[in-house]
Amino acid sequence: MRAVVSELGAALTGSRVSDVIQIEASRFLIRFGDPPFPRVHIAIHPRLSTLHLARGIRAPATTTELAVELTRELAGRAVLSVSKPADERLVRIHLDEGRTLIVELMGKASNLLLLDGQDRILRFARTHHGEFRQPVVGGLYQPPPPVAGFPDPWPGMSPLLARERDPATLLDRAAGGRYDAVLYSPAPPLELPESLALTSRNLFAFPFPLSHATGLTATSFASVNEAEEAATGCLLRNMLYETVHQSLAALLRREGRRTTDLISVLEEELAEAERSGHEDRRRGELILAGLHAARKEGDVVRVVDHYDPEERIVEIPIDPRLDLKGNAQRYFKSARRGARARELLPARLERLRARLEAVGDSAERVEQARTRVELEAVERELQDAGIVRAFRKAERAEVGRKAEYVKVKEFLTREGFTVLVGRTASENDHLTFKVAAPHDLWLHAAGHAGAHVIVRNPRRLPSLPDATVLEAAAIAAYFSKGGGTGDMDVHVTFRRHVRKGRGMSPGMVMLKRHRTVRVSPALPSAQGRGVPRMD
């Protein structure tokens, strides 16, 4: 890090801060307004604690309160010096007018703090629950305890340098600022699989070639900052891969457990239907056949079993609140339910078992995927096939934060079109602008708050069947705030005609063109035209 700081000092001294950008919760970018317009990347993530000169980092479209405050405090101030105190795990960037930016590089305890001329804290990025060194605005900054140095003759030597055969020569070169930067990694940086686990043991930048770094690939760079930037890029790709991998694998595990549990329930229902269906019809017939001679005794009735060659008396459980005809009809109704279950459940179980197999195959593909692109391909296939009905938020990926999935309601129309329904204003925005394709149909109840409804149109048909449009419109009316007020108007258009105006609140949109249909609020199952997709 001292070599990085030495190069930073030479590049930044005299340059004035332009602004501070918060790339994500644990990463910042400081931009300078003087030629050659340097940029400094700062990361305070537990797995990525670093700072270095950076190139090509894209700034997010939105800013944060902390970034605005830091920019207000630092914009226009010139860097006086960059230093790393001996045996301290931090870097100090000294600016004019008494401002100091502290970058603590301490793994889980890393932090970014802005101090005034009396070392009092003006702003900080992270806090913690402990009392020791708890940052407080207005409080006096306490640096972390110093790290005990190595014994003579090379105090303060890094562990890597201590294992070298001739560290004295390297120390002499370091003292003279003569670096020969190298990045050590399992493979050349551009060939590293995103899925390969990276740690400080197999990925690190160093100012000089090391004789003991066997088994690793050495890649030379023109400066230590460039080597550190390359190491950061490799680790970020790995961390972002892990973010998607862990979230998708967890989603598939949950879907696998849910499907397995549903299969178990339906298998029990089918077994019960096969066992009791014929018995219920038999009991209903016996009650009707023995109406005149039957004897009610509390919650049972005693009748002659005409199916028994010896015609013995049997007891049949009944509901005492109903007469015998009512009890017979109750048994016939149960028998009809059992018959429907025996007719419908096998096909549903077959679909669920196929889904469970597909989930298992997808889980294997997730484990075999080597890049985020491959993971996202599996994810899209699962969604297109209807196996997983949750859509990952297409927000800017952030290292260390699990990808969030938005679940949507889904229905299947009579013609076989998939209908997706949002639930909240933010989920409506996500469904409309991140999930729906331009050629999908978009619907929303006119004049009422409610769900955005999307009808998938994978074949890019220029128009959808009227029956499908009416079914989807009825769903949009049902999931609106006016869903209980009788017939309603519903706006219908293709997704490509839906726009989001600047400053519009979540869920609010503008329509470039649309048509209106009038329907009664209803779900497909209630209309008798389609079925909600439950498996």
Side-chain angles (χ1 to χ4, degrees):
M1 183 51 66
R2 290 185 183 179
V4 170
V5 170
S6 175
E7 292 181 354
L8 279 174
L12 301 181
T13 300
S15 295
R16 296 185 180 275
V17 174
S18 174
D19 59 3
V20 178
I21 296 168
Q22 188 166 11
I23 303 170
E24 55 190 54
S26 60
R27 295 173 59 216
F28 299 82
L29 187 67
I30 304 177
R31 299 192 290 195
F32 293 84
D34 299 315
F37 307 106
R39 296 181 172 196
V40 175
H41 175 243
I42 298 173
I44 55 172
H45 188 273
R47 283 189 60 194
L48 181 61
S49 303
T50 186
L51 82 162
H52 53 77
L53 292 171
R55 301 162 298 178
I57 295 180
R58 292 176 54 193
T62 58
T63 188
T64 66
E65 181 180 353
L66 178 58
V68 170
E69 292 175 349
L70 289 174
T71 297
R72 185 183 300 119
E73 290 284 351
L74 298 179
R77 299 182 191 272
V79 174
L80 302 180
S81 64
V82 183
S83 64
K84 181 188 182 302
D87 300 327
E88 284 194 358
R89 296 167 289 174
L90 58 85
V91 174
R92 293 176 182 262
I93 303 177
H94 304 276
L95 300 105
D96 59 15
E97 300 183 40
R99 293 292 184 265
T100 301
L101 200 61
I102 302 289
V103 185
E104 296 182 338
L105 305 172
M106 303 164 56
K108 292 182 179 180
S110 297
N111 208 347
L112 176 67
L113 306 98
L114 178 63
L115 312 182
D116 65 12
Q118 287 74 45
D119 272 0
R120 296 194 178 277
I121 299 173
L122 298 176
R123 301 284 184 271
F124 58 87
R126 296 174 57 189
T127 187
H128 56 80
H129 300 295
E131 295 182 2
F132 178 67
R133 298 185 65 248
Q134 173 79 358
V136 178
V137 172
L140 189 65
Y141 174 68
Q142 300 179 42
V147 179
F150 286 86
D152 288 337
W154 305 297
M157 184 190 306
S158 76
L160 286 172
L161 195 56
R163 293 200 295 270
E164 282 299 292
R165 290 191 294 269
D166 186 15
T169 300
L170 297 182
L171 285 172
D172 289 342
R173 292 180 61 185
R178 302 187 306 276
Y179 302 124
D180 185 11
V182 180
L183 172 65
Y184 288 97
S185 55
L190 297 180
E191 299 176 14
L192 278 176
E194 293 178 15
S195 59
L196 181 63
L198 299 174
T199 69
S200 59
R201 293 180 179 274
N202 65 359
L203 177 74
F204 58 88
F206 207 72
F208 318 105
L210 298 171
S211 62
H212 70 274
T214 56
L216 296 176
T217 298
T219 305
S220 297
F221 285 86
S223 69
V224 182
N225 272 266
E226 289 182 25
E228 188 69 26
E229 181 183 27
T232 296
C234 293
L235 187 54
L236 279 175
R237 288 191 292 274
N238 172 239
M239 294 171 70
L240 291 172
Y241 166 88
E242 289 181 354
T243 295
V244 178
H245 176 272
Q246 292 170 4
S247 298
L248 185 54
L251 182 68
L252 287 170
R253 285 195 298 271
R254 290 194 299 271
E255 184 66 25
R257 288 194 298 267
R258 191 190 76 86
T259 305
T260 299
D261 292 343
L262 185 54
I263 288 174
S264 297
V265 170
L266 294 184
E267 285 176 340
E268 291 178 4
E269 289 183 7
L270 181 58
E272 175 63 20
E274 292 173 343
R275 182 191 63 79
S276 63
H278 298 296
E279 180 65 17
D280 286 343
R281 175 166 295 281
R282 179 174 174 273
R283 287 176 172 179
E285 291 173 349
L286 288 178
I287 291 174
L288 288 181
L291 281 179
H292 299 294
R295 292 167 48 195
K296 292 177 63 175
E297 298 179 0
D299 57 358
V300 299
V301 62
R302 295 170 61 84
V303 297
V304 175
D305 185 357
H306 297 290
Y307 293 97
D308 181 0
E310 299 181 10
E311 294 192 338
R312 287 171 288 196
I313 301 296
V314 295
E315 290 184 352
I316 299 176
I318 60 172
D319 184 346
R321 296 169 298 179
L322 303 176
D323 60 17
L324 290 181
K325 286 186 177 180
N327 274 283
Q329 292 304 318
R330 186 169 66 91
Y331 276 116
F332 290 143
K333 185 176 181 180
S334 177
R336 289 193 295 272
R337 284 199 303 268
R340 285 197 299 272
R342 292 194 301 274
E343 178 183 355
L344 299 176
L345 286 183
R348 190 176 180 193
L349 281 167
E350 183 178 353
R351 292 195 300 271
L352 284 170
R353 292 182 182 117
R355 168 184 285 182
L356 185 59
E357 183 178 356
V359 168
D361 291 343
S362 298
E364 290 183 10
R365 289 181 60 196
V366 165
E367 294 308 314
Q368 295 169 0
R370 294 294 175 261
T371 66
R372 271 202 302 159
V373 171
E374 293 176 12
L375 289 174
E376 290 164 355
V378 176
E379 185 180 52
R380 284 192 300 272
E381 290 175 17
L382 288 168
Q383 292 162 351
D384 292 343
I387 296 170
V388 170
R389 284 178 288 283
F391 298 87
R392 182 161 48 88
K393 287 185 177 179
E395 59 197 7
R396 188 182 184 91
E398 181 169 332
V399 297
R401 188 178 72 181
K402 284 188 176 181
E404 296 183 39
Y405 284 86
V406 176
K407 292 187 176 181
V408 297
K409 293 181 180 294
E410 183 174 344
F411 298 88
L412 192 65
T413 68
R414 181 182 61 186
E415 289 82 7
F417 288 89
T418 297
V419 180
L420 305 178
V421 181
R423 298 184 297 182
T424 66
S426 61
E427 290 181 5
N428 281 340
D429 274 359
H430 180 76
L431 179 62
T432 296
F433 298 107
K434 302 299 183 182
V435 175
H439 46 270
D440 289 342
L441 201 66
W442 183 93
L443 304 96
H444 186 270
H448 296 279
H452 291 191
V453 172
I454 298 296
V455 182
R456 288 295 207 185
N457 182 19
R459 290 180 291 168
R460 304 186 180 216
L461 301 175
S463 63
L464 271 61
D466 289 343
T468 290
V469 174
L470 292 175
E471 286 184 59
I475 294 171
Y478 182 89
F479 286 106
S480 73
K481 297 296 184 182
T485 59
D487 288 354
M488 297 177 60
D489 288 335
V490 175
H491 293 326
V492 183
T493 188
F494 283 106
R495 157 61 188 87
R496 61 178 174 270
H497 301 312
V498 183
R499 298 288 186 270
K500 187 79 173 177
R502 183 181 297 275
M504 277 189 168
S505 58
M508 299 291 291
V509 298
M510 298 184 299
L511 303 182
K512 185 177 179 181
R513 66 179 66 170
H514 69 276
R515 64 189 177 100
T516 302
V517 297
R518 192 163 184 83
V519 293
S520 296
L523 296 180
S525 56
Q527 296 167 312
R529 297 174 180 165
V531 294
R533 179 176 285 179
M534 299 299 293
D535 52 63

